[in-house]
């Protein structure tokens, strides 16, 4: 296996499952820290701040920091602020998304007269929140969704993901949003820029083909599929475009 300088790493299904650490994950991050390898956790979860993500990892036994996290919340705020600084936003989502938008200098408003509608995962979703989003999009607001995941893994099973919430607004208004998260190139390009390396020097690691592996493929970087989460090895073998590598766990990546 190629010795990469930069690693873009999925979380759920790759580092942990719910509250359980996946075999080899802590040892892999320790290896990266010891050998001064650059890495970023690339997550479609917009509800948590980078510090909250890092705190969860450290509580589970990892040794990392918020500087090693890029979320769809950060990628979304970066995308909007770059093309439309100071824009007004109506958002559906958690504290992580709100913090990212406000820290990027965007105005978060609670009405339908805004420049953008941004939808992220919101476990306290209501009919009223969706109604305001629909009205704003109908009024001409640009429509952005942090990611298209229709379901998310949980100890209880698979629960509705942000893509499911987004679809309500799409169906009601007939407008398709710009998606930011994996497998789209927007978050990946920001991650590669943040890590400061060329695409040839980086690799994307994840368990789910339709998000993690396709994100790497769509961004023209190498990929490592780990057989510890959603997509099985048999399912991988049936794909038209294969990952660069598929490993049983991250012990196989440690040199």
């Amino acid at each position: 296996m190629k010795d990469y300088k930069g690693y873009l790493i999925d979380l759920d299904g790759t580092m942990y499952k719910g509250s359980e650490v996946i075999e080899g994950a802590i040892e892999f991050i320790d290896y990266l820290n010891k050998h001064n390898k650059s890495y970023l956790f690339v997550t479609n979860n917009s509800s948590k701040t980078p510090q909250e993500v890092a705190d969860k990892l450290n509580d589970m036994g990892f040794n990392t920091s918020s500087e090693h996290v890029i979320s769809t919340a950060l990628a979304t705020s970066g995308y909007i602020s770059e093309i439309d600084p100071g824009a007004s936003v109506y958002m559906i989502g958690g504290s992580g998304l709100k913090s990212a938008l406000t820290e990027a200098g965007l105005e978060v408003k609670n009405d339908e007269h805004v420049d953008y509608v941004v939808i992220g995962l919101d476990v306290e979703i209501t009919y009223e929140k969706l109604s305001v989003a629909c009205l704003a999009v109908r009024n001409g607001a640009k429509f952005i969704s942090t990611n298209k995941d229709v379901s998310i893994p949980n100890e209880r099973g698979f629960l509705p993901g942000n893509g499911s919430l987004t679809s309500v607004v799409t169906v009601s208004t007939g407008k398709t949003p710009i998606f930011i998260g994996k497998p789209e190139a927007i978050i990946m390009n920001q991650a590669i820029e943040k890590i400061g390396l060329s695409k040839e020097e980086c690799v994307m690691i994840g368990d789910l083909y339709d998000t993690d592996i396709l994100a790497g493929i769509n961004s023209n970087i190498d990929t490592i599929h780990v057989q510890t989460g959603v997509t099985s090895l048999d399912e991988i073998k049936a794909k038209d475009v294969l990952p660069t590598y598929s490993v049983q766990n991250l012990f196989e990546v440690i040199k």
Side-chain angles (χ1 to χ4, degrees):
M1 185 179 294
K2 180 178 174 180
D3 186 18
Y4 297 94
K5 292 184 177 180
Y7 293 80
L8 307 178
I9 309 166
D10 174 52
L11 288 172
D12 207 339
T14 304
M15 295 288 101
Y16 53 74
K17 285 183 181 178
S19 58
E20 179 181 342
V21 176
I22 290 175
E23 181 181 12
I26 289 176
E27 292 83 355
F28 177 65
I29 299 304
D30 287 344
Y31 165 81
L32 297 182
N33 289 330
K34 180 179 178 181
H35 291 85
N36 295 314
K37 299 282 188 179
S38 298
Y39 69 93
L40 283 174
F41 296 110
V42 183
T43 175
N44 274 0
N45 188 340
S46 65
S47 62
K48 304 295 184 184
T49 66
Q51 187 59 57
E52 288 171 331
V53 173
D55 288 344
K56 175 178 179 175
L57 288 166
N58 289 328
D59 288 344
M60 298 176 82
F62 291 88
N63 179 19
T64 191
S65 70
S66 61
E67 294 300 312
H68 292 286
V69 179
I70 183 167
S71 68
T72 50
L74 290 177
T76 298
S77 62
Y79 175 81
I80 297 174
S81 61
E82 182 175 350
I83 62 177
D84 203 352
S88 59
V89 179
Y90 175 75
M91 60 149 279
I92 292 174
S95 59
L97 181 56
K98 185 174 183 179
S99 295
L101 293 171
T102 55
E103 288 172 9
L106 302 170
E107 181 186 8
V108 177
K109 298 177 64 178
N110 193 33
D111 64 61
E112 61 265 30
H113 303 290
V114 291
D115 301 313
Y116 290 85
V117 166
V118 174
I119 298 184
L121 184 64
D122 187 342
V123 297
E124 298 179 347
I125 191 68
T126 65
Y127 184 84
E128 176 60 19
K129 290 180 181 181
L130 292 168
S131 297
V132 174
C134 289
L135 289 169
V137 171
R138 291 182 185 278
N139 286 338
K142 299 179 181 68
F143 185 18
I144 292 179
S145 177
T146 60
N147 66 293
K148 60 176 64 171
D149 299 357
V150 295
S151 62
I152 52 175
N154 181 274
E155 291 87 347
R156 297 165 60 191
F158 285 92
L159 305 182
N162 183 57
S164 298
L165 307 185
T166 302
S167 68
V168 175
V169 179
T170 297
V171 171
S172 177
T173 64
K175 302 293 185 180
T176 301
I178 296 171
F179 288 102
I180 301 295
K182 300 175 293 184
E184 308 304 321
I186 294 174
I187 191 171
M188 296 298 290
N189 289 339
Q190 289 193 28
I192 292 166
E193 181 178 353
K194 182 174 181 178
I195 210 168
L197 297 168
S198 69
K199 290 185 177 183
E200 292 74 23
E201 295 172 311
C202 296
V203 65
M204 177 69 205
I205 302 177
D207 69 295
L208 184 55
Y209 183 88
D210 290 340
T211 55
D212 308 319
I213 302 306
L214 276 184
I217 292 170
N218 292 342
S219 304
N220 296 312
I221 68 173
D222 286 354
T223 54
I224 300 174
H225 165 251
V226 285
Q227 302 158 25
T228 54
V230 176
T231 309
S232 69
L233 179 58
D234 286 341
E235 290 172 321
I236 285 292
K237 291 178 178 178
K239 300 296 184 182
D240 292 333
V241 182
L242 300 177
T244 313
Y245 308 97
S246 182
V247 298
Q248 185 174 357
N249 59 51
L250 288 170
F251 280 124
E252 296 184 37
V253 185
I254 297 174
K255 303 294 184 180

